[in-house]
Amino acid sequence: MAVAAPLGGYLMRLLAGLMMGASLLSAATHYLTVAGLGGEPEYEQRFSGWARDLDKILKTVPDARPETLSGADATRARLEAALKRLAGEAKPDDLLVVMLIGHGTFDGMEYKLNLAGPDLTAVELASLLDRIPAKRQLVVNMTSASGASLVPLQKSDRAVITATKSGTEKNATIFARYWVEAMRDPEADTDKNEVVTALEAFRFADQKTAKFYETQKRIATEHALLEDTGKGEGVRTPSAENGQGLLASRFALLRMGAAGAAALTPEKRALQNTKEDLEERIDQLKYRKAAMATSDYRKQLNALLVELAKVQAELDK
Amino acid sequence: MKLLVLLLLAVSAWAGPAEDCWAQRKRGRLAEAGSCFQGLTRSPVPLLRAEGFWGLGRFSDANDQFRVAEKMDPKNAAVKVRWGRMFEERYQPADAAKLFEEALEIRKDYAPALFGMALVASNSFESKAVEFAGKALEADSKLVEAQELLAYLALEDSNPEKAVKEADKAIAMSPEALDAMAVRATIDWLNDQPSSEWIERILKFNPRYGKAYATAGHFFVINRRYEEGIRYYRKALELDPELWEARAELGVNLMRLGEEEEARKHLEIAYNAGYKNAATVNSLRLLDSYKNFKTYKTPTTILRLHKKEDEILAIYFQQELDRAMAAFHKKYRVKLGAPVQVEVYPDHDDFAVRTMGLPGLGALGVTFGYVVAMDSPSGRKPGSFHWASTLWHELSHVYVLAATKHRVPRWFTEGMAVHEETAVSPDWGDRLDPTVIKAIQEKKLLPVADLDRGFIRPSYPNQVVVSYFQAGKICDYIAQKWGYDRLLQMMQDYADRKATPDVIRGRLGMEPAAFDREFLAWLDGQVGASVKGFAEWSKRVRGLSELAKAKKHDEVIREGLAIRDLYPDYVEAGSVYEFLSEAYLAKGDKAGAMRQLADYSKQGGRSPATIQQLADLQIEAGMKKEAAATLERLNYIYPQDPEMHRKLGSLYLEAGNTSGAVREYRALVGMKPLDAAGAHFDLARAYRAARKNEEALEHVLLALEAAPGFKPAQKLLLELNAK
């Protein structure tokens, strides 16, 4: 889980740790992936390919409950049915992740997700999501014009990510390609704790998307946004300054390796407490870094990190 | 009735009082000229008022009056031409050309309009300038300005003999042909004569005619003799401090030589005086942007890199700069008198500012004495150029210019530079492209004695590209037939101001025409097969693309193998190599695909994705040494892909090449990747392998600072602390 420095110090880490601990014990994560209408064979292949890749990744994750609708299955009726079923199945402690791939449209008033048959508006989608008891939700709308869906979808305890900054960015997007990559590339897990958070995945996909346009020497036609307070404006770079990103930084999008399994035994609880204590002290030290002599900072950091490494080694035995 | 009188006055206006005012100015009688122009502003004739305001430097008022004049008499070609001349003077060539064209629609052979067109073409180094000036003279044999321009154009065309003839004609036409005299004076100075009778004649006529020195400044600059050019611009300003164009040029050229403080001073003075042409404005902007650059210095080099990429580029550019300078020092036997400054621009527009106003320069790099400016690999689409090849090319210029004291024809210094590129490695340098093939087929290669014209005043699109190729091949040919030392001897001849025909005769023992014949025969042996095979290749490669689309892999392989070597130099998008490798891969024949991609790379293919694909296949086949060499080549093309550095670092680490691994992982860290912890950890591992434990500890701490729970880094930290 990434609790990035700009989002706060050790208190944030502690909070986040506690929340994660809770979710590790009992919660499940429900994933619903929708690859909408491509219109042309090239897009059909691209969208359903990304959806297939996501589905494959999620099927390997413990406690994950993935469902994927693509091609002819991606109809309004099937999507509504899936969300209604989740409204019955999901528990309040569960996590819900909805990922939308494809084309979206915005007529100046309303965003619509292009599906086989009738489309679905952002307002209609929000209404269906509101009925799902899972308290923490993540909606990743990776379609063109998806920026227009941000306001209708935003809600307290729901992080919303859109591939475009507005409804006027209408070109087909590639953000989804890098979102999929974030879920399988260890590089996305920037704090190396074997959990990719929504914030880490957002930053990864956003940076890779920007790089794509930069290296192709093309004008970027998509600028992703994140909003997770339920009331603010979507931002390009979540930080403590703009108040965005806290929920996303705690939202475990994907657990990899040991972190996926790990319920702590009582014997290791003491070690875990020591570990958390050391992590807090490291955060405190980092907070004081600017006011310290470099050599002193380095010495203290080394000492704390060595202690932490030893505790981790014990925990891993 | 009043309107009719005004119209009649307007028609003959230019021949009257306005001309007198301009003549006063030309004679250097500025006070009298000022009063004269002032008087014109009170004229009832709009065209005269326009001339008056123009002469006083009140361009906006002049513009208004020209507009009134044109409205009153829309079919008056003279009004349009005078208005156009003001636009031309005020660096708005498009508006000027439009007015000249309108004038020519009214009067087809109107000499002043034809001359206006010649001026516009001349400013952008277009070959049509000569044609327009000639037509203007045909229409009016007394148009001295046109005759003077022909002299100027001939000198730009590196033809001083013709320039002298044309200038003398102008001087015979008018004893006031100061610009023709300036051309004569310039020729004397370019020939290293310390004084010239022509400047004395000019100054006798007008002691403040700084424009004569500015003309010399221009010619020294386009002959790459920047320091002398600067000296003449300074002289121009001593005589006439309000010669804004010369002041701006002085600023631009000081900047080219790295004298930024003084450059800014002159550019700002020109700008504040209203001289806001593109070169002045963009140069000032570029100077402002230097705060975003970081400078790396060694005793012999100065490297200026943009802060957004300096950490990674410094690694590779410094390494290559040192390597190239060591090689050239040995080859050219020249000791440079100052450090070489290399500026690398990630924004191509910034780089373009550096080349403004210079004809026939390659679009990737440019050399001004000891200063080299070039595009960054990030400034263009990845794979579109080979930065190291460009760097060596430009550094070759530094040495050739130093060895010849800048007295070298353009074709020879470009030829040497192109020759040096492929001398480093055959896959460097430019490939035989369709433009060149077409030029060879149409027999458009120039005689060696005239090759400079292909750079300075190209007569067909892409002639500059063709001329680079031809010049490079000529140097290849000389090196192959007579030995590399003969090129150095020719260089010495140029330093002694010998002309190309004499150099060819003296050093190669033949007439230039005979040399051209022999060279073309040799060139045919080099590229004749591709030139002959090109048409068939072009036709069949389209079919190959269709076969590939239809996934007819066997047929792609059969046809691809049949046509690939008809034109093996083609390694751009849609190359036969790539079609073949895709077909082999589709059939599960990875070795076959690898062979094609290896040939693609060997031929100079530069697509990063394709080269990465080759490296991946080599890794998969256990050919790790070859994979490392493949990726190492990519470093010279596009070093800004973190994944490539990670891969190459890993290969080097595994092979025990710890210094290579450290370099690659340093590059990775320098790119400030999202996964900072992973990059620092990799670098720590490389340092550990190189037994540099202090550095290893530093980077493992940086890794863990970013990600305290990073287990492999924790393990390394414990190991390092146990030591």
Side-chain angles (χ1 to χ4, degrees), chain A residues 187 190-192 203-204 207 211 215-217 286 289 297-298 302 305-306 308-310 312 316, chain B residues 378-382 638 646 674-675 694 697-698 701 704-705 707-711 714 717-718 721:
Chain A
E187 199 187 322
T190 52
D191 65 358
K192 309 292 173 198
R203 285 181 171 150
F204 179 94
Q207 195 185 71
K211 189 80 183 164
T215 54
Q216 294 297 308
K217 297 288 163 211
K286 280 157 70 174
K289 181 180 181 180
Y297 171 77
R298 201 181 123 142
N302 185 48
L305 287 170
V306 166
L308 181 64
K310 285 177 179 169
Q312 186 63 56
D316 290 344
Chain B
S378 68
R380 287 170 173 268
K381 197 171 173 184
Y638 186 65
R646 192 175 289 117
L674 201 60
D675 183 12
E694 260 310 297
L697 185 59
E698 185 189 333
L701 284 175
L704 287 165
E705 186 185 37
F710 188 8
K711 289 178 191 174
Q714 287 180 333
L717 178 73
L718 291 177
N721 273 277

Side-chain angles (χ1 to χ4, degrees), chain A residues 107-142:
Chain A
D107 58 8
M109 298 290 288
E110 202 168 47
Y111 166 87
K112 282 180 187 169
L113 171 66
N114 294 178
L115 297 166
D119 295 341
L120 186 75
T121 70
V123 174
E124 289 165 339
L125 175 64
S127 162
L128 289 161
L129 291 170
D130 289 349
R131 293 182 214 161
I132 299 172
K135 207 180 161 208
R136 279 169 299 143
Q137 300 185 353
L138 169 67
V139 183
V140 191
N141 187 351
M142 298 175 272

Side-chain angles (χ1 to χ4, degrees), chain B residues 547-683:
Chain B
L547 291 172
K549 264 189 209 158
K551 299 188 189 303
K552 294 178 176 172
H553 308 305
D554 288 322
E555 289 177 54
V556 167
I557 290 169
R558 184 184 44 75
E559 179 67 356
L561 291 176
I563 68 169
R564 195 192 79 163
D565 293 338
L566 288 174
Y567 177 28
D569 267 54
Y570 188 79
V571 285
E572 302 304 317
S575 73
V576 176
Y577 303 95
E578 288 161 293
F579 282 128
L580 280 168
S581 77
E582 279 162 26
Y584 280 122
L585 280 178
K587 285 175 66 69
D589 182 355
K590 290 185 179 175
M594 202 159 56
R595 273 197 307 278
Q596 292 304 322
L597 294 179
D599 286 347
Y600 165 85
S601 185
K602 199 174 159 192
Q603 281 291 345
R606 289 171 186 172
S607 156
T610 307
I611 297 170
Q612 288 257 20
Q613 191 187 15
L614 170 62
D616 288 342
L617 286 168
Q618 287 167 326
I619 291 169
E620 204 182 318
M623 298 161 65
K624 295 188 177 174
K625 199 175 158 193
E626 289 80 358
T630 300
L631 293 175
E632 189 65 72
R633 180 171 174 264
L634 194 47
N635 264 332
Y636 287 125
I637 296 166
Y638 186 65
Q640 278 143 313
D641 174 7
E643 190 50 38
M644 188 265 287
H645 294 297
R646 192 175 289 117
K647 227 177 262 179
L648 185 53
S650 166
L651 286 167
Y652 279 150
L653 197 55
E654 201 180 319
N657 178 356
T658 53
S659 61
V662 165
R663 188 195 65 188
E664 289 308 304
Y665 288 136
R666 269 183 63 211
L668 183 61
V669 166
M671 294 189 76
K672 300 182 179 60
L674 201 60
D675 183 12
H680 281 293
F681 172 63
D682 284 337
L683 181 53

Side-chain angles (χ1 to χ4, degrees), chain A residues 17-28 63 93-94 136 255 259-266 269:
Chain A
L18 290 172
M19 294 190 77
M20 165 144 342
S23 66
L24 279 172
L25 292 174
S26 57
D63 292 330
D93 285 340
D94 288 353
R136 279 169 299 143
R255 299 177 201 286
L264 288 177
T265 61
R269 191 68 237 171

Side-chain angles (χ1 to χ4, degrees), chain B residues 18 21-22 25 33-34 36-43 45-58 61-62 65-66:
Chain B
C21 300
W22 291 111
R25 173 169 291 178
C36 184
F37 285 123
Q38 195 69 52
L40 290 185
T41 61
R42 292 189 290 273
S43 164
V45 182
L47 178 58
L48 288 180
R49 290 201 297 274
E51 294 279 352
F53 285 124
W54 177 9
L56 294 172
R58 289 168 58 181
D61 291 331
Q65 293 308 315
F66 274 124

